Amino acid sequence: MGRKHLLALGCVLMVGVFSGCNQAPPPPPPPVVPTGPQSKQEVLSLVLPALAPLQNILSMPAGTGGLSDTDRAYVMSQLRDSVAKYGNLPFGREALREVGYKIGEMGKQASTQERWRLALSCVDAFDILQMESLTVSRLGDRAKNMMEQPTVRVRGFLEDKEKDSLYVFLELVNRKTGEIEKVQAREGEEFEGIRLLKVVGRNQKVRIEYIKIPGLIFDVDFEPNSKK
C-alpha cells in the first residue's frame, strides 16, 4: 500500500475517532411511574368506601333496615382484597389498622342500636383485618349470644287459683331456622337461656332476662295468636 493510501486511511480513522467522541449520549430511560397508593391517606380513600353498606344501615332509624347477605359478602370480599394488596406495606398496615378501629366503633354503635346481625358482621370484618381488641372481642361474644337468643312471643295466660300460680304461654322462635317451640312457664322459671321474671300489669306483658348476658332485661307484649 502506498504512502498516500496510508495517509488517507489514517485521516479516515482519526475522523471516526473524533466523531465518536462528539456523539451525544443515549437519552435516559423514562422515569418509573409508581403504581398503586403511596401513602396511608391514599389507602384509606380506597378502603373506606367498602364500609358504606354498614354505615348506611347505622344511619337508618332504629328497627328499620338490615344487612343483606349480598352486602355482607361485598364488604368481606373488599376487606380481604385490601389486606392482600396493602397489608405488606408499612403505610398500608397503618391504614388498615385505622379502618379496623372504625369498624370496631361501628360494631359498638350497632350493639347500642340492638342490630345484632350487623354487630356480628362488624366483628367478622374486624377479624379479617387481623386486629386485636378486647372490647370488640366482647362485642362479638355478645352479638353471637344475641343471635342465639330466640324471639319470644307471649300468646296467653292461665291462672291456677288452687295453686295460686299464673302460667304464661310462650312461643320461642329460632332466629336461624324459624322453628317454633311452645313453652308454658311461671314467674322465676328458666328455659332456653331465658328467665321469666314477672308478669307486668294485668297480663299485658312479661319481663324477660336473657341469662347469657347478665342484666339484659326486656319486656315482651302480649300478642294473641289472632294478631300474627
Side-chain angles (χ1 to χ4, degrees), residues 7-36:
L7 182 60
L9 180 61
C11 291
V12 172
L13 293 175
M14 291 297 292
V15 171
V17 171
F18 283 113
S19 297
C21 292
N22 294 330
Q23 187 177 1
V32 177
V33 179
T35 58

Side-chain angles (χ1 to χ4, degrees), residues 18-220:
F18 283 113
S19 297
C21 292
N22 294 330
Q23 187 177 1
V32 177
V33 179
T35 58
Q38 299 299 304
S39 69
K40 168 187 168 183
Q41 291 303 321
E42 290 183 41
V43 174
L44 286 173
S45 68
L46 293 170
V47 179
L48 287 176
L51 306 184
L54 309 180
Q55 190 61 60
N56 290 341
I57 295 173
L58 291 173
S59 64
M60 294 180 182
T64 64
L67 185 65
S68 68
D69 291 338
T70 300
D71 284 344
R72 184 184 186 281
Y74 167 79
V75 173
M76 302 305 165
S77 174
Q78 291 296 305
L79 292 178
R80 290 190 189 96
D81 289 347
S82 297
V83 171
K85 291 177 181 177
Y86 317 124
N88 61 335
L89 303 172
F91 60 82
R93 288 192 296 271
E94 188 177 348
L96 293 176
R97 188 177 300 111
E98 188 167 319
V99 173
Y101 294 146
K102 183 174 181 62
I103 291 174
E105 291 301 318
M106 294 171 71
K108 287 187 283 186
Q109 186 180 351
S111 177
T112 300
Q113 296 180 5
E114 297 187 358
R115 300 180 188 270
W116 301 114
R117 176 178 169 80
L118 179 58
L120 189 56
S121 295
C122 288
V123 173
D124 293 340
F126 194 91
D127 287 342
I128 288 176
L129 298 178
Q130 299 177 346
M131 306 291 292
E132 292 183 0
S133 168
L134 180 60
T135 300
V136 174
S137 175
R138 288 172 176 169
L139 170 63
D141 292 340
R142 180 180 172 87
K144 289 176 182 177
N145 284 336
M146 287 302 297
M147 290 298 289
E148 293 174 1
Q149 176 197 334
T151 299
V152 181
R153 296 171 181 165
V154 181
R155 292 309 193 191
F157 301 88
L158 176 63
E159 184 176 0
D160 187 338
K161 294 183 179 180
E162 292 185 0
K163 298 181 178 180
D164 193 23
S165 296
L166 179 62
Y167 291 89
V168 183
F169 296 94
L170 306 166
E171 289 182 352
L172 309 181
V173 184
N174 188 302
R175 292 174 184 265
K176 297 178 181 178
T177 65
E179 295 180 355
I180 297 176
E181 177 184 357
K182 295 185 178 182
V183 174
Q184 179 180 320
R186 295 176 297 178
E187 292 181 347
E189 293 184 343
E190 299 178 8
F191 46 92
E192 299 295 329
I194 291 174
R195 179 182 295 114
L196 197 162
L197 295 178
K198 62 181 296 186
V199 175
V200 180
R202 296 184 177 181
N203 299 345
Q204 295 175 332
K205 61 182 66 177
V206 298
R207 186 152 297 159
I208 300 289
E209 180 179 11
Y210 187 52
I211 300 172
K212 291 184 179 180
I213 302 179
L216 179 57
I217 297 173
F218 54 95
D219 289 352
V220 180

